[in-house]
Amino acid sequence: MDIVRIPLGDWIEGGLDWLTSEYSVVTRSISRVTQSGIDGLNDALMWLPEWGLMAIIVLLCWRASSIRLGIGAAVGLALIWNMGLWFPMIETLTLVVIATLVAVIIAVPVGIAAALSERLYRALMPVLDFMQTMPAFVYLIPAIPFFGIGSVSAIFATVIFSMPPAIRFTTLGIRQVPGDLIEAADAYGATRGQKLVKVQLPLSLPTLMAGINQTIMLALSMVVIAAMIGADGLGSEVWRAIQRLRPGDGFEAGIAVVILAMLLDRLTQSLRR
């Protein structure tokens, strides 16, 4: 017996075509603004000499964490510089910073709303489960018709891919605030906004920072994958090495990604503490 096939792929493709045609003005505007932000941050970071930016990062690691992390940052960044991957590292850092900022700006209000509304929480959790189990490469598909090939598409895919942990941790942190503290705030006549700003958000800040840490790590992994759609940075170095069968160059770029990931992870963990 023949089973009728549901044309799910055709529906999705038709929906993407409709969105790109109807909202092309919006996507072009977003693309111009995002590309301007990418170019501006890239130019600012590349305007600094390598040793100057390295000194700033080392000092930040030392002050935020310890002298041990500062020494590790100096050694790791010097190795990236020595391998000739300084400018690709800057491009990767730019994409990660912009994607993380956009993801957090969207995720924190959504997480707060989900924490305060049980109905929204129950509706949002299956969506987040779906987003987190979807393979990373799939997020590159809708980015291309919306924004074309390049770094803007990488930002779009990275934001969508890295946003769920920030939403989950924000919601979790607010919902885990002890009930007796909420009751004490109510007893003192605090409004809903005062409870949120003066009680719930400060107490949930360590959990929220853990979510931002996870968002940064996911953003870095996605930025590397996004080299397949023309994103610049260390991912493009890895992709170029694969295409040219040059494993040594690929491993060098991979080591640079690991160093950058470790620095960002240790910094955000120190801020969390």
Side-chain angles (χ1 to χ4, degrees), residues 72-235:
V75 173
L77 293 173
L79 179 60
I80 294 175
W81 187 7
N82 181 262
M83 292 189 296
L85 296 173
W86 186 262
F87 291 126
M89 186 271 291
I90 294 297
E91 292 171 335
T92 299
L93 181 62
T94 296
L95 295 178
V96 171
V97 168
I98 293 177
T100 301
L101 285 176
V102 175
V104 170
I105 289 172
I106 297 172
V108 171
V110 173
I112 292 172
L116 301 179
S117 171
E118 186 66 26
R119 182 177 299 177
L120 178 60
Y121 174 80
R122 293 188 178 184
L124 191 61
M125 288 303 109
V127 176
L128 295 179
D129 292 338
F130 177 83
M131 292 174 66
Q132 289 188 284
T133 52
M134 180 71 71
F137 293 96
V138 177
Y139 290 104
L140 302 178
I141 298 173
I144 298 173
F146 284 148
F147 304 106
I149 300 295
S151 298
V152 178
S153 293
I155 293 289
F156 173 82
T158 302
V159 168
I160 301 300
F161 179 70
S162 62
M163 201 166 32
I167 298 176
R168 284 188 183 276
F169 277 80
T170 302
T171 304
L172 178 65
I174 293 176
R175 292 171 71 94
Q176 284 184 337
V177 173
D180 54 351
L181 295 179
I182 303 297
E183 292 175 1
D186 289 332
Y188 280 100
T191 64
R192 192 170 184 179
Q194 289 173 332
K195 284 189 295 184
L196 176 64
V197 174
K198 296 184 177 182
V199 179
Q200 292 170 304
L201 281 179
L203 290 175
S204 64
L205 195 57
T207 306
L208 195 151
M209 286 301 300
I212 294 176
N213 175 271
Q214 293 300 306
T215 297
I216 292 173
M217 294 298 101
L218 288 177
L220 181 57
S221 66
M222 191 64 186
V223 163
V224 174
I225 295 172
M228 298 175 62
I229 58 172
D232 297 323
L234 294 171

Side-chain angles (χ1 to χ4, degrees), residues 202-271:
L203 290 175
S204 64
L205 195 57
T207 306
L208 195 151
M209 286 301 300
I212 294 176
N213 175 271
Q214 293 300 306
T215 297
I216 292 173
M217 294 298 101
L218 288 177
L220 181 57
S221 66
M222 191 64 186
V223 163
V224 174
I225 295 172
M228 298 175 62
I229 58 172
D232 297 323
L234 294 171
S236 64
E237 298 294 325
V238 176
W239 184 241
R240 191 177 297 114
I242 293 173
Q243 291 177 318
R244 297 177 181 178
L245 295 177
R246 301 177 67 175
D249 293 346
F251 271 99
E252 286 184 351
I255 291 171
V257 172
V258 171
I259 293 172
L260 184 59
M262 291 176 65
L263 285 177
L264 293 174
D265 179 61
R266 297 299 186 272
L267 269 176
T268 50
Q269 286 188 9
S270 299
L271 293 175

